[in-house]
């Protein structure tokens, strides 16, 4: 099992949700976050620290079984990808376990 974290611009959310549905990925969590990357202003100007501008982003967290990993990644890239700096990132983390609170079911049955 993997946890796919997707950081995207808010305007990409609807197209990413539609693309995930098309590959039968329906379960995810969405969080509004702020961050900076290649878009950021310079951190040091004339040996003085400057404020780094933070940008609104959306973070999706998607727990998937291994068979759904590549379709999930491909769907996000297709729906959110373009050549604009700051379009987002995909992070893939290994999940040791998932447990459904309601039933106590572990593993892939709980995703």
């Amino acid at each position: 099992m993997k946890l796919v974290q997707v950081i995207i611009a808010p305007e990409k959310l609807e197209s990413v949700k539609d693309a995930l549905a098309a590959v039968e990925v329906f379960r995810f969590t969405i969080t509004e976050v702020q961050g900076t990357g290649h878009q950021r202003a310079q951190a040091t100007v004339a040996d003085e620290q400057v404020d780094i501008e933070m940008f609104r982003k959306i973070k999706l967290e998607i727990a998937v079984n291994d068979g759904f990993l590549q379709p999930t990644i491909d769907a996000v890239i297709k729906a959110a990808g373009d050549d604009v700096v700051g379009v987002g990132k995909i992070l893939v983390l290994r999940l040791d376990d998932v447990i459904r609170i309601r039933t106590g079911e572990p593993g892939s049955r709980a995703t």
Side-chain angles (χ1 to χ4, degrees):
M1 288 181 294
K2 302 288 191 275
L3 178 63
V4 180
Q5 293 182 334
V6 177
I7 310 293
I8 56 171
E11 60 270 15
K12 299 289 186 174
L13 179 59
E14 290 306 314
S15 62
V16 168
K17 287 178 7 183
D18 291 344
L20 290 172
V23 294
E24 299 181 1
V25 174
F26 302 104
R27 298 177 182 117
F28 47 83
T29 301
I30 299 172
T31 309
E32 292 185 16
V33 296
Q34 292 185 18
T36 186
H38 287 289
Q39 300 167 286
R40 67 179 164 84
Q42 290 184 325
T44 305
V45 176
D47 294 330
E48 292 184 30
Q49 293 291 333
V50 296
D51 289 334
I52 297 174
E53 186 174 355
M54 302 301 282
F55 295 92
R56 267 190 61 227
K57 300 289 183 181
I58 299 293
K59 180 167 107 174
L60 288 86
E61 293 182 300
I62 312 162
V64 296
N65 294 314
D66 290 340
F68 280 88
L69 178 60
Q70 196 59 52
T72 299
I73 292 169
D74 293 342
V76 170
I77 290 172
K78 183 178 178 183
D82 57 35
D83 287 337
V84 177
V85 172
V87 73
K89 293 277 190 281
I90 299 172
L91 303 140
V92 179
L93 302 115
R94 186 176 36 242
L95 280 177
D96 291 332
D97 205 356
V98 175
I99 301 165
R100 180 174 288 135
I101 292 174
R102 179 176 50 87
T103 63
E105 290 175 280
S108 62
R109 295 187 315 261
T111 57

